[in-house]
Amino acid sequence: MHALLQRQLRRYLDGIDLTAAPWPAFLEAVDQSYLEAEIDRNLVETAMEISSHELLQANAELRGLVQAFPDLILHVDADGRITSCRGRATRAFAVPTGGLVGHELRTFFRAGEQAAFDDAMAAARQPGAVVTVEHTSDDRPPNVHEMRLAAIGEGSVVAIVRDVTDARRTEDLRLAKEGAEAASRAKSAFLANMSHELRTPLNAILGYSEMLAEEAPADMREDLQRIHRSGRHLLQVLNAMLDIARIEAGMVRIEVDAVEVRAFAAEAIAAVRGAAAQKGLTLDVVVGPAVHVIQTDRVKLLQVLLNLLGNAVKFTEQGHVTLDVQAADADGQPGVTFAVRDSGIGIPDEMLARLFQDFVQVDESNTRRFGGTGLGLALCRRLCGLLGGRVGVESTLGSGSTFSVWVPCDGAAAAGRGDTPSVPAERVA
Ligand code: ADP
Protein backbone atom coordinates (compact mmCIF):
# COMPACT_ATOMS: atom_id res chain seq x y z
CA MET A 1 0.00 0.00 0.00
CA HIS A 2 1.13 3.54 -0.76
CA ALA A 3 3.03 4.94 2.23
CA LEU A 4 1.09 8.21 2.29
CA LEU A 5 -2.24 6.32 2.24
CA GLN A 6 -1.07 4.16 5.15
CA ARG A 7 -0.17 7.28 7.17
CA GLN A 8 -3.50 8.91 6.42
CA LEU A 9 -5.48 5.76 7.41
CA ARG A 10 -3.62 5.63 10.69
CA ARG A 11 -4.35 9.27 11.35
CA TYR A 12 -8.03 9.51 10.31
CA LEU A 13 -9.49 5.96 10.51
CA ASP A 14 -7.62 4.57 13.47
CA GLY A 15 -9.71 1.94 15.37
CA ILE A 16 -11.95 1.11 12.44
CA ASP A 17 -11.88 -2.47 11.18
CA LEU A 18 -10.73 -1.99 7.68
CA THR A 19 -10.85 -5.68 6.84
CA ALA A 20 -14.65 -5.69 6.82
CA ALA A 21 -16.66 -4.82 3.69
CA PRO A 22 -16.74 -2.41 1.96
CA TRP A 23 -13.30 -1.22 3.04
CA PRO A 24 -10.94 -3.64 1.28
CA ALA A 25 -12.33 -2.95 -2.21
CA PHE A 26 -12.54 0.79 -1.52
CA LEU A 27 -9.00 0.94 -0.12
CA GLU A 28 -7.60 -0.98 -3.07
CA ALA A 29 -9.14 1.48 -5.54
CA VAL A 30 -7.80 4.45 -3.56
CA ASP A 31 -4.34 2.83 -3.32
CA GLN A 32 -4.33 2.32 -7.10
CA SER A 33 -5.15 6.03 -7.60
CA TYR A 34 -2.33 7.01 -5.25
CA LEU A 35 0.10 4.84 -7.21
CA GLU A 36 -1.01 6.33 -10.53
CA ALA A 37 -0.70 9.85 -9.13
CA GLU A 38 2.80 8.97 -7.97
CA ILE A 39 3.76 7.77 -11.46
CA ASP A 40 2.29 10.93 -13.02
CA ARG A 41 4.23 13.07 -10.57
CA ASN A 42 7.47 11.30 -11.40
CA LEU A 43 6.79 11.77 -15.08
CA VAL A 44 6.11 15.50 -14.65
CA GLU A 45 9.26 15.91 -12.58
CA THR A 46 11.39 14.15 -15.18
CA ALA A 47 9.83 16.23 -17.96
CA MET A 48 10.53 19.41 -16.01
CA GLU A 49 14.11 18.38 -15.43
CA ILE A 50 14.59 17.68 -19.09
CA SER A 51 13.03 20.93 -20.25
CA SER A 52 14.96 23.03 -17.75
CA HIS A 53 18.16 21.35 -19.00
CA GLU A 54 17.16 22.09 -22.56
CA LEU A 55 16.33 25.64 -21.60
CA LEU A 56 19.76 26.07 -20.05
CA GLN A 57 21.36 24.64 -23.15
CA ALA A 58 19.35 26.84 -25.47
CA ASN A 59 20.31 29.83 -23.33
CA ALA A 60 23.99 28.97 -23.49
CA GLU A 61 23.72 28.50 -27.25
CA LEU A 62 22.04 31.87 -27.63
CA ARG A 63 24.72 33.53 -25.50
CA GLY A 64 27.43 31.93 -27.63
CA LEU A 65 25.69 33.04 -30.80
CA VAL A 66 25.45 36.64 -29.64
CA GLN A 67 29.09 36.56 -28.55
CA ALA A 68 30.27 35.22 -31.88
CA PHE A 69 27.90 37.40 -33.93
CA PRO A 70 29.97 39.65 -36.18
CA ASP A 71 27.47 42.51 -36.06
CA LEU A 72 25.93 44.81 -33.48
CA ILE A 73 22.39 43.98 -32.33
CA LEU A 74 20.19 46.84 -31.15
CA HIS A 75 16.68 46.65 -29.76
CA VAL A 76 14.63 49.73 -30.51
CA ASP A 77 11.28 50.39 -28.80
CA ALA A 78 8.09 51.82 -30.29
CA ASP A 79 9.38 55.37 -29.59
CA GLY A 80 12.57 54.69 -31.54
CA ARG A 81 14.84 54.53 -28.46
CA ILE A 82 17.59 51.97 -28.11
CA THR A 83 16.70 49.66 -25.23
CA SER A 84 19.47 47.12 -25.51
CA CYS A 85 22.73 46.74 -27.31
CA ARG A 86 24.68 43.51 -27.81
CA GLY A 87 27.22 41.97 -30.14
CA ARG A 88 30.18 43.61 -31.74
CA ALA A 89 31.19 47.22 -31.02
CA THR A 90 30.94 49.46 -34.07
CA ARG A 91 32.43 52.70 -35.36
CA ALA A 92 29.06 53.67 -36.86
CA PHE A 93 27.91 56.13 -34.19
CA ALA A 94 29.33 59.26 -32.61
CA VAL A 95 28.64 57.70 -29.16
CA PRO A 96 30.69 54.65 -28.00
CA THR A 97 28.77 51.41 -28.41
CA GLY A 98 28.52 50.93 -24.62
CA GLY A 99 26.62 54.21 -24.23
CA LEU A 100 24.00 53.74 -26.93
CA VAL A 101 21.11 52.61 -24.70
CA GLY A 102 18.59 55.36 -24.12
CA HIS A 103 19.46 57.29 -27.28
CA GLU A 104 17.05 57.72 -30.14
CA LEU A 105 18.47 55.69 -33.05
CA ARG A 106 17.24 58.22 -35.62
CA THR A 107 19.48 60.96 -34.19
CA PHE A 108 22.59 59.03 -35.25
CA PHE A 109 21.64 59.37 -38.90
CA ARG A 110 22.79 62.33 -40.95
CA ALA A 111 20.04 64.83 -41.85
CA GLY A 112 20.06 63.61 -45.44
CA GLU A 113 19.59 59.97 -44.40
CA GLN A 114 16.88 60.44 -41.75
CA ALA A 115 13.92 60.32 -44.14
CA ALA A 116 15.18 57.00 -45.55
CA PHE A 117 15.60 55.72 -41.98
CA ASP A 118 12.02 56.75 -41.05
CA ASP A 119 10.63 54.96 -44.12
CA ALA A 120 12.70 51.86 -43.32
CA MET A 121 11.47 51.79 -39.69
CA ALA A 122 7.85 52.14 -40.78
CA ALA A 123 8.27 49.34 -43.31
CA ALA A 124 10.13 47.12 -40.82
CA ARG A 125 7.26 47.36 -38.31
CA GLN A 126 5.06 45.40 -40.74
CA PRO A 127 5.01 41.76 -39.62
CA GLY A 128 7.47 39.52 -41.45
CA ALA A 129 9.32 42.40 -43.13
CA VAL A 130 13.11 42.74 -43.10
CA VAL A 131 14.28 46.15 -44.35
CA THR A 132 17.80 47.35 -45.03
CA VAL A 133 18.92 50.96 -44.64
CA GLU A 134 22.38 52.45 -45.06
CA HIS A 135 24.16 54.53 -42.44
CA THR A 136 27.14 56.76 -43.26
CA SER A 137 29.32 58.12 -40.46
CA ASP A 138 30.68 61.68 -40.28
CA ASP A 139 34.29 60.46 -40.53
CA ARG A 140 36.56 61.36 -43.45
CA PRO A 141 36.47 59.04 -45.37
CA PRO A 142 33.10 57.92 -43.99
CA ASN A 143 32.48 54.47 -42.56
CA VAL A 144 29.49 52.79 -44.13
CA HIS A 145 27.16 50.49 -42.21
CA GLU A 146 24.24 48.43 -43.35
CA MET A 147 21.34 48.21 -40.90
CA ARG A 148 18.85 45.35 -41.21
CA LEU A 149 15.58 46.05 -39.40
CA ALA A 150 12.88 43.55 -38.40
CA ALA A 151 9.82 43.81 -36.12
CA ILE A 152 9.89 41.92 -32.78
CA GLY A 153 6.40 42.85 -31.56
CA GLU A 154 4.60 45.76 -29.90
CA GLY A 155 6.19 48.31 -32.21
CA SER A 156 9.74 47.27 -31.25
CA VAL A 157 12.35 46.58 -33.87
CA VAL A 158 15.65 44.72 -33.84
CA ALA A 159 18.46 46.36 -35.82
CA ILE A 160 21.50 44.37 -36.99
CA VAL A 161 24.30 46.83 -37.73
CA ARG A 162 27.05 45.57 -40.07
CA ASP A 163 30.22 47.44 -41.05
CA VAL A 164 30.46 47.29 -44.86
CA THR A 165 33.10 50.02 -45.25
CA ASP A 166 35.88 47.70 -46.47
CA ALA A 167 33.57 45.72 -48.72
CA ARG A 168 32.32 48.97 -50.32
CA ARG A 169 35.87 50.27 -50.82
CA THR A 170 36.92 46.98 -52.42
CA GLU A 171 33.88 47.16 -54.68
CA ASP A 172 34.65 50.78 -55.61
CA LEU A 173 38.24 49.81 -56.42
CA ARG A 174 37.06 46.87 -58.51
CA LEU A 175 34.72 49.13 -60.48
CA ALA A 176 37.46 51.74 -60.94
CA LYS A 177 39.86 49.04 -62.14
CA GLU A 178 37.27 47.66 -64.55
CA GLY A 179 36.60 51.18 -65.82
CA ALA A 180 40.31 51.83 -66.34
CA GLU A 181 40.75 48.53 -68.14
CA ALA A 182 37.78 49.22 -70.39
CA ALA A 183 39.17 52.70 -71.14
CA SER A 184 42.57 51.21 -71.92
CA ARG A 185 41.00 48.65 -74.26
CA ALA A 186 39.00 51.39 -75.98
CA LYS A 187 42.17 53.48 -76.36
CA SER A 188 44.04 50.55 -77.83
CA ALA A 189 41.22 49.69 -80.22
CA PHE A 190 41.11 53.33 -81.32
CA LEU A 191 44.87 53.34 -81.86
CA ALA A 192 44.72 50.09 -83.81
CA ASN A 193 42.12 51.59 -86.16
CA MET A 194 43.97 54.91 -86.43
CA SER A 195 47.22 53.19 -87.30
CA HIS A 196 45.51 51.58 -90.28
CA GLU A 197 44.25 54.97 -91.43
CA LEU A 198 47.72 56.48 -91.08
CA ARG A 199 49.59 53.74 -92.88
CA THR A 200 47.77 54.15 -96.18
CA PRO A 201 48.79 57.80 -96.88
CA LEU A 202 52.24 57.09 -95.45
CA ASN A 203 52.82 54.36 -97.98
CA ALA A 204 51.95 56.86 -100.72
CA ILE A 205 54.48 59.37 -99.31
CA LEU A 206 57.14 56.65 -99.18
CA GLY A 207 56.47 55.46 -102.72
CA TYR A 208 56.40 58.94 -104.28
CA SER A 209 59.43 60.29 -102.38
CA GLU A 210 61.49 57.27 -103.48
CA MET A 211 60.36 57.58 -107.08
CA LEU A 212 60.97 61.34 -107.17
CA ALA A 213 64.41 60.98 -105.50
CA GLU A 214 65.47 58.70 -108.33
CA GLU A 215 64.42 61.16 -111.01
CA ALA A 216 65.01 64.52 -109.32
CA PRO A 217 67.96 66.84 -110.03
CA ALA A 218 70.92 66.40 -107.64
CA ASP A 219 70.15 69.50 -105.52
CA MET A 220 66.69 68.18 -104.62
CA ARG A 221 67.65 64.53 -104.23
CA GLU A 222 68.99 64.80 -100.70
CA ASP A 223 65.84 66.50 -99.40
CA LEU A 224 63.67 63.88 -101.02
CA GLN A 225 65.80 61.11 -99.52
CA ARG A 226 65.40 62.77 -96.11
CA ILE A 227 61.62 62.73 -96.57
CA HIS A 228 61.84 59.08 -97.51
CA ARG A 229 64.00 58.18 -94.46
CA SER A 230 61.69 60.03 -92.07
CA GLY A 231 58.70 58.33 -93.66
CA ARG A 232 60.31 54.93 -93.16
CA HIS A 233 61.01 55.72 -89.52
CA LEU A 234 57.43 56.83 -89.04
CA LEU A 235 56.21 53.61 -90.63
CA GLN A 236 58.38 51.58 -88.21
CA VAL A 237 56.90 53.45 -85.25
CA LEU A 238 53.39 52.97 -86.60
CA ASN A 239 53.90 49.25 -87.15
CA ALA A 240 55.19 48.77 -83.62
CA MET A 241 52.37 50.90 -82.19
CA LEU A 242 49.83 48.93 -84.18
CA ASP A 243 51.25 45.64 -82.85
CA ILE A 244 51.22 46.89 -79.24
CA ALA A 245 47.74 48.34 -79.55
CA ARG A 246 46.39 45.11 -81.03
CA ILE A 247 47.88 43.10 -78.13
CA GLU A 248 46.52 45.52 -75.52
CA ALA A 249 43.09 45.48 -77.12
CA GLY A 250 43.09 41.67 -76.83
CA MET A 251 43.00 41.35 -80.64
CA VAL A 252 46.05 39.07 -80.91
CA ARG A 253 45.55 35.32 -80.63
CA ILE A 254 48.21 32.68 -80.01
CA GLU A 255 48.66 29.95 -82.64
CA VAL A 256 50.54 27.10 -80.95
CA ASP A 257 52.64 24.74 -83.08
CA ALA A 258 55.35 22.14 -82.48
CA VAL A 259 58.63 24.01 -82.94
CA GLU A 260 61.88 22.10 -83.43
CA VAL A 261 64.16 24.39 -81.45
CA ARG A 262 67.53 23.67 -83.11
CA ALA A 263 66.22 24.43 -86.63
CA PHE A 264 64.29 27.40 -85.31
CA ALA A 265 67.39 28.92 -83.66
CA ALA A 266 69.35 28.45 -86.89
CA GLU A 267 66.59 30.22 -88.83
CA ALA A 268 66.65 33.19 -86.42
CA ILE A 269 70.43 33.52 -86.65
CA ALA A 270 70.34 33.29 -90.47
CA ALA A 271 68.10 36.36 -90.58
CA VAL A 272 70.80 38.61 -89.06
CA ARG A 273 73.81 36.96 -90.72
CA GLY A 274 74.07 39.61 -93.46
CA ALA A 275 73.94 42.56 -91.04
CA ALA A 276 76.49 40.92 -88.71
CA ALA A 277 78.85 40.14 -91.58
CA GLN A 278 78.70 43.77 -92.75
CA LYS A 279 80.03 44.84 -89.35
CA GLY A 280 82.56 41.98 -89.14
CA LEU A 281 80.86 40.43 -86.07
CA THR A 282 81.16 36.75 -85.12
CA LEU A 283 77.76 35.11 -85.01
CA ASP A 284 77.26 31.89 -83.03
CA VAL A 285 74.40 29.66 -82.04
CA VAL A 286 74.64 27.18 -79.14
CA VAL A 287 71.82 24.73 -78.40
CA GLY A 288 71.91 22.62 -75.22
CA PRO A 289 71.55 18.82 -75.50
CA ALA A 290 68.26 18.73 -73.56
CA VAL A 291 66.46 21.07 -75.96
CA HIS A 292 64.19 19.44 -78.54
CA VAL A 293 60.64 20.39 -79.48
CA ILE A 294 58.45 22.98 -77.77
CA GLN A 295 54.82 23.94 -78.25
CA THR A 296 54.62 27.66 -78.88
CA ASP A 297 53.57 30.38 -81.34
CA ARG A 298 56.45 30.16 -83.79
CA VAL A 299 55.82 33.49 -85.55
CA LYS A 300 55.63 35.51 -82.34
CA LEU A 301 58.68 33.87 -80.78
CA LEU A 302 60.62 34.52 -83.99
CA GLN A 303 59.51 38.17 -83.94
CA VAL A 304 60.89 38.50 -80.38
CA LEU A 305 64.21 36.81 -81.20
CA LEU A 306 64.72 38.81 -84.40
CA ASN A 307 64.15 41.99 -82.42
CA LEU A 308 66.74 41.00 -79.79
CA LEU A 309 69.25 39.72 -82.34
CA GLY A 310 68.73 42.85 -84.47
CA ASN A 311 69.41 45.05 -81.42
CA ALA A 312 72.49 42.99 -80.49
CA VAL A 313 73.95 43.48 -83.95
CA LYS A 314 72.89 47.14 -84.03
CA PHE A 315 74.49 48.03 -80.69
CA THR A 316 77.71 46.01 -81.16
CA GLU A 317 80.60 47.57 -83.05
CA GLN A 318 83.04 44.68 -82.73
CA GLY A 319 83.23 41.21 -81.24
CA HIS A 320 80.41 38.70 -81.21
CA VAL A 321 76.70 38.03 -80.96
CA THR A 322 75.66 34.61 -79.61
CA LEU A 323 72.31 32.91 -79.38
CA ASP A 324 72.48 30.42 -76.50
CA VAL A 325 69.47 28.09 -76.11
CA GLN A 326 69.14 25.93 -72.97
CA ALA A 327 66.44 23.93 -71.22
CA ALA A 328 65.38 25.77 -68.03
CA ASP A 329 62.57 25.34 -65.51
CA ALA A 330 60.84 28.41 -64.13
CA ASP A 331 58.53 28.11 -61.10
CA GLY A 332 58.59 24.35 -61.55
CA GLN A 333 57.46 24.65 -65.16
CA PRO A 334 59.68 23.16 -67.89
CA GLY A 335 60.76 25.63 -70.55
CA VAL A 336 63.54 26.93 -72.74
CA THR A 337 65.69 30.05 -72.37
CA PHE A 338 66.92 31.85 -75.49
CA ALA A 339 69.79 34.13 -74.42
CA VAL A 340 71.06 36.73 -76.91
CA ARG A 341 74.55 37.74 -75.77
CA ASP A 342 76.59 40.54 -77.33
CA SER A 343 79.89 42.33 -76.74
CA GLY A 344 78.36 45.71 -77.56
CA ILE A 345 78.00 49.10 -75.89
CA GLY A 346 76.11 47.75 -72.87
CA ILE A 347 73.39 49.50 -70.88
CA PRO A 348 73.73 51.57 -67.70
CA ASP A 349 72.27 49.90 -64.58
CA GLU A 350 69.68 52.59 -63.91
CA MET A 351 68.16 52.07 -67.37
CA LEU A 352 67.74 48.29 -67.16
CA ALA A 353 64.39 48.35 -65.36
CA ARG A 354 62.88 50.94 -67.72
CA LEU A 355 64.09 49.41 -70.94
CA PHE A 356 60.93 47.39 -71.58
CA GLN A 357 58.63 50.39 -71.27
CA ASP A 358 57.17 52.07 -74.36
CA PHE A 359 59.39 54.59 -76.19
CA VAL A 360 62.38 54.16 -73.85
CA GLN A 361 65.84 54.43 -75.36
CA VAL A 362 69.04 54.59 -73.34
CA ASP A 363 70.31 57.60 -75.18
CA GLU A 364 67.99 59.55 -77.41
CA SER A 365 70.85 60.34 -79.72
CA ASN A 366 70.76 56.56 -80.41
CA THR A 367 67.79 57.22 -82.63
CA ARG A 368 69.97 59.38 -84.86
CA ARG A 369 73.00 57.12 -84.60
CA PHE A 370 71.42 53.68 -84.77
CA GLY A 371 67.80 54.30 -85.82
CA GLY A 372 64.99 52.53 -83.99
CA THR A 373 61.77 53.44 -82.24
CA GLY A 374 62.18 52.56 -78.56
CA LEU A 375 59.20 50.24 -78.98
CA GLY A 376 60.92 46.97 -79.91
CA LEU A 377 61.56 45.75 -76.35
CA ALA A 378 58.16 46.94 -75.17
CA LEU A 379 56.63 44.80 -77.90
CA CYS A 380 58.89 41.85 -76.98
CA ARG A 381 57.70 42.04 -73.37
CA ARG A 382 54.06 41.88 -74.45
CA LEU A 383 54.65 39.08 -76.95
CA CYS A 384 56.48 37.03 -74.31
CA GLY A 385 53.54 37.58 -71.96
CA LEU A 386 51.19 36.21 -74.61
CA LEU A 387 53.41 33.14 -74.93
CA GLY A 388 53.24 32.54 -71.17
CA GLY A 389 56.89 33.50 -70.80
CA ARG A 390 59.00 36.51 -69.96
CA VAL A 391 61.97 38.53 -71.07
CA GLY A 392 64.78 40.06 -69.03
CA VAL A 393 68.17 41.67 -69.36
CA GLU A 394 71.60 41.77 -67.77
CA SER A 395 74.25 44.16 -68.97
CA THR A 396 77.58 45.76 -68.17
CA LEU A 397 78.15 49.19 -69.61
CA GLY A 398 80.94 49.11 -72.16
CA SER A 399 81.27 45.34 -72.36
CA GLY A 400 77.97 43.90 -73.54
CA SER A 401 74.42 42.77 -72.78
CA THR A 402 72.43 39.56 -72.49
CA PHE A 403 68.73 39.62 -73.28
CA SER A 404 67.00 36.38 -72.22
CA VAL A 405 63.63 35.07 -73.23
CA TRP A 406 62.10 32.19 -71.33
CA VAL A 407 59.10 30.37 -72.81
CA PRO A 408 57.33 27.30 -71.42
CA CYS A 409 57.61 23.99 -73.27
CA ASP A 410 53.82 23.74 -73.30
CA GLY A 411 52.75 27.15 -74.60
CA ALA A 412 49.14 26.06 -75.14
CA ALA A 413 48.59 25.59 -71.40
CA ALA A 414 50.55 28.67 -70.37
CA ALA A 415 49.57 31.19 -73.08
CA GLY A 416 48.79 34.60 -71.64
CA ARG A 417 49.69 33.55 -68.09
CA GLY A 418 53.14 35.11 -68.26
CA ASP A 419 54.20 38.67 -67.91
CA THR A 420 51.08 40.73 -68.61
CA PRO A 421 51.41 43.99 -70.55
CA SER A 422 50.98 46.20 -67.50
CA VAL A 423 53.62 44.41 -65.35
CA PRO A 424 57.27 45.37 -65.82
CA ALA A 425 59.41 42.54 -67.14
CA GLU A 426 61.41 40.55 -64.64
CA ARG A 427 65.12 40.15 -65.06
CA VAL A 428 65.99 36.68 -66.20
CA ALA A 429 69.51 35.41 -65.45
P1 ADP B 1 64.99 50.56 -80.53
O1 ADP B 1 64.08 50.48 -81.70
O2 ADP B 1 65.37 51.94 -80.13
O3 ADP B 1 66.12 49.61 -80.61
P2 ADP B 1 64.12 48.85 -78.40
O4 ADP B 1 62.92 48.91 -77.55
O5 ADP B 1 64.38 47.61 -79.16
O6 ADP B 1 64.04 50.10 -79.35
O7 ADP B 1 65.37 49.16 -77.50
C1 ADP B 1 65.30 50.24 -76.58
C2 ADP B 1 66.66 50.73 -76.25
O8 ADP B 1 67.35 49.72 -75.49
C3 ADP B 1 67.55 50.98 -77.43
O9 ADP B 1 67.30 52.24 -77.98
C4 ADP B 1 68.90 50.88 -76.78
O10 ADP B 1 69.20 52.10 -76.13
C5 ADP B 1 68.73 49.81 -75.74
N1 ADP B 1 69.18 48.49 -76.21
C6 ADP B 1 68.42 47.47 -76.67
N2 ADP B 1 69.17 46.40 -76.98
C7 ADP B 1 70.43 46.73 -76.68
C8 ADP B 1 71.70 46.04 -76.76
N3 ADP B 1 71.78 44.77 -77.20
N4 ADP B 1 72.79 46.71 -76.36
C9 ADP B 1 72.72 47.96 -75.90
N5 ADP B 1 71.57 48.67 -75.80
C10 ADP B 1 70.44 48.05 -76.19
Side-chain angles (χ1 to χ4, degrees), residues 6-346:
Q6 262 178 358
R7 276 205 306 280
Q8 286 173 334
L9 289 178
R10 257 199 309 277
R11 193 161 157 199
Y12 300 110
L13 302 178
D14 202 24
I16 296 177
D17 177 12
L18 295 177
T19 58
W23 289 106
F26 173 69
L27 286 176
E28 198 188 323
V30 175
D31 187 36
Q32 188 58 37
S33 301
Y34 267 70
L35 276 174
E36 279 167 13
E38 181 76 19
I39 290 167
D40 285 350
R41 198 180 64 134
N42 284 343
L43 281 176
V44 169
E45 270 175 15
T46 315
M48 272 174 70
E49 250 171 55
I50 290 173
S51 58
S52 72
H53 176 73
E54 277 174 355
L55 212 63
L56 279 176
Q57 225 176 11
N59 237 335
E61 207 175 296
L62 207 63
R63 228 175 305 123
L65 269 177
V66 171
Q67 246 164 21
F69 204 60
D71 305 325
L72 179 73
I73 308 164
L74 300 177
H75 283 181
V76 183
D77 67 13
D79 298 328
R81 286 195 186 282
I82 300 170
T83 54
S84 92
C85 162
R86 271 182 296 173
R88 186 157 171 192
T90 155
R91 45 186 177 167
F93 310 113
V95 173
T97 309
L100 285 172
V101 172
H103 285 276
E104 214 181 317
L105 181 55
R106 182 181 198 277
T107 58
F108 293 122
F109 280 76
R110 293 166 158 215
E113 287 181 343
Q114 280 179 346
F117 171 74
D118 293 340
D119 290 347
M121 281 296 266
R125 286 196 167 103
Q126 303 308 312
V130 178
V131 184
T132 304
V133 63
E134 198 163 284
H135 175 277
T136 321
S137 75
D138 289 327
D139 308 277
R140 287 271 151 254
N143 295 313
V144 186
H145 288 76
E146 200 179 79
M147 214 176 270
R148 289 167 73 81
L149 308 169
I152 47 172
E154 296 171 12
S156 294
V157 165
V158 66
I160 312 282
V161 187
R162 172 169 295 187
D163 191 342
V164 292
T165 313
D166 293 342
R168 286 290 154 83
R169 273 181 205 149
T170 311
E171 177 64 7
D172 287 351
L173 284 177
R174 192 184 63 77
L175 290 176
K177 183 169 165 275
E178 272 178 18
E181 281 168 359
S184 165
R185 275 196 301 277
K187 178 208 76 182
S188 297
F190 171 75
L191 209 60
N193 292 335
M194 274 307 286
S195 296
H196 268 306
E197 300 300 317
L198 291 170
R199 277 207 297 191
T200 314
L202 194 54
N203 278 326
I205 293 173
L206 279 173
Y208 279 111
S209 58
E210 190 173 26
M211 199 175 77
L212 286 173
E214 277 168 17
E215 294 166 4
D219 59 329
M220 285 176 69
R221 193 167 301 147
E222 198 171 317
D223 288 341
L224 286 164
Q225 281 169 343
R226 204 168 286 149
I227 292 175
H228 187 72
R229 274 198 304 278
S230 300
R232 271 219 319 261
H233 180 71
L234 197 55
L235 188 60
Q236 268 182 356
V237 176
L238 269 178
N239 282 340
M241 275 173 55
L242 176 63
D243 281 349
I244 289 177
R246 281 165 52 83
I247 293 175
E248 298 246 311
M251 293 155 79
V252 176
R253 292 277 158 262
I254 293 294
E255 314 271 339
V256 173
D257 255 332
V259 176
E260 207 287 296
V261 179
R262 198 171 292 272
F264 175 75
E267 182 187 339
I269 278 288
V272 290
R273 185 153 288 135
Q278 260 183 16
K279 295 176 92 174
L281 303 177
T282 317
L283 202 58
D284 285 319
V285 57
V286 179
V287 181
V291 180
H292 304 292
V293 175
I294 58 171
Q295 302 290 327
T296 193
D297 187 317
R298 176 193 184 82
V299 175
K300 294 189 179 60
L301 184 58
L302 190 62
Q303 191 177 352
V304 171
L305 284 189
L306 291 186
N307 220 309
L308 300 183
L309 285 166
N311 276 351
V313 171
K314 184 163 71 171
F315 294 107
T316 305
E317 291 312 320
Q318 57 183 23
H320 66 87
V321 170
T322 306
L323 174 60
D324 186 353
V325 190
Q326 299 293 338
D329 287 6
D331 304 326
Q333 211 184 350
V336 173
T337 298
F338 297 81
V340 177
R341 216 168 277 132
D342 67 55
S343 57
I345 59 174

